[in-house]
Amino acid sequence: MRLLAAAGLRVTAPRVAVLRVLERRPHATTEVVAAAVRAELGAVSTQAIYDVLNAFTEAGVVRRIQPAGSPARYELRTGDNHHHLVCRVCGRADDVDCAVGAVPCLEPSDALGYRVDEAEVVYWGMCPSCRAAAPKNSKRRG
Ligand SMILES: [Zn+2]
Ligand SMILES: [Zn+2]
């Protein structure tokens, strides 16, 4: 539990369980994390899971992403400002590296004097499984 120690966080069973869940399921929502932690530890309140995730987010142990219209998701891959592909149908999310460089996309065409420290890009679409399941002629018409 090096991550917790490095962040100055006390090691508790729910914290360790949340880390384990996020290792297996990157981009999990609070609901998904809570269900998996309960499967492991028994009764843990959703509020307790929120508290753990908030403490982790503040300490930089996890990154919170919040695609528009979707619940917040959490992942252990922090600090590299990677982007996401999100499926409109099933909500699956995948990581996308930026092609530009190590700290990608932090330079807007005009930053208007802001000091930018994060850019969040979400590519919305339909994931391969949902595309395979979708009827061939179901293309949305405007
Ligand atoms: Zn999908
Ligand atoms: Zn990610």
Side-chain angles (χ1 to χ4, degrees):
M1 297 297 103
R2 245 174 336 109
L3 266 177
L4 293 180
L9 292 170
R10 213 155 39 84
V11 175
T12 65
R15 283 177 178 169
V16 172
V18 167
L19 283 182
R20 280 211 210 100
V21 172
L22 290 176
E23 265 164 23
R24 292 193 307 265
R25 316 247 339 228
H27 313 118
T29 61
T30 306
E31 288 304 310
V32 166
V33 172
V37 168
R38 278 185 206 118
E40 197 177 316
L41 298 182
V44 178
S45 71
T46 302
Q47 186 59 48
I49 303 297
Y50 271 112
D51 292 346
V52 170
L53 289 168
N54 282 335
F56 280 3
T57 304
E58 273 164 35
V61 173
V62 302
R63 177 176 175 197
R64 170 163 41 209
I65 59 164
Q66 194 142 22
S70 154
R73 295 142 178 274
Y74 298 87
E75 64 184 337
L76 294 173
R77 186 176 164 186
T78 58
D80 67 350
N81 202 68
H82 67 274
H83 306 318
H84 295 96
L85 279 156
V86 179
C87 177
R88 290 186 193 280
V89 180
C90 68
R92 165 175 160 183
D94 284 291
D95 288 338
V96 196
D97 292 324
C98 187
V100 175
V103 187
C105 300
L106 287 179
E107 286 167 39
S109 51
D110 184 349
L112 302 171
Y114 282 56
R115 185 177 57 80
V116 176
D117 57 34
E118 183 173 6
E120 191 170 312
V121 177
V122 177
Y123 303 93
W124 291 94
M126 204 192 263
C127 77
S129 345
C130 289
R131 285 177 62 201
K136 288 274 177 282
N137 55 358
S138 72
K139 280 199 192 99
R140 234 185 268 168
R141 282 167 219 280

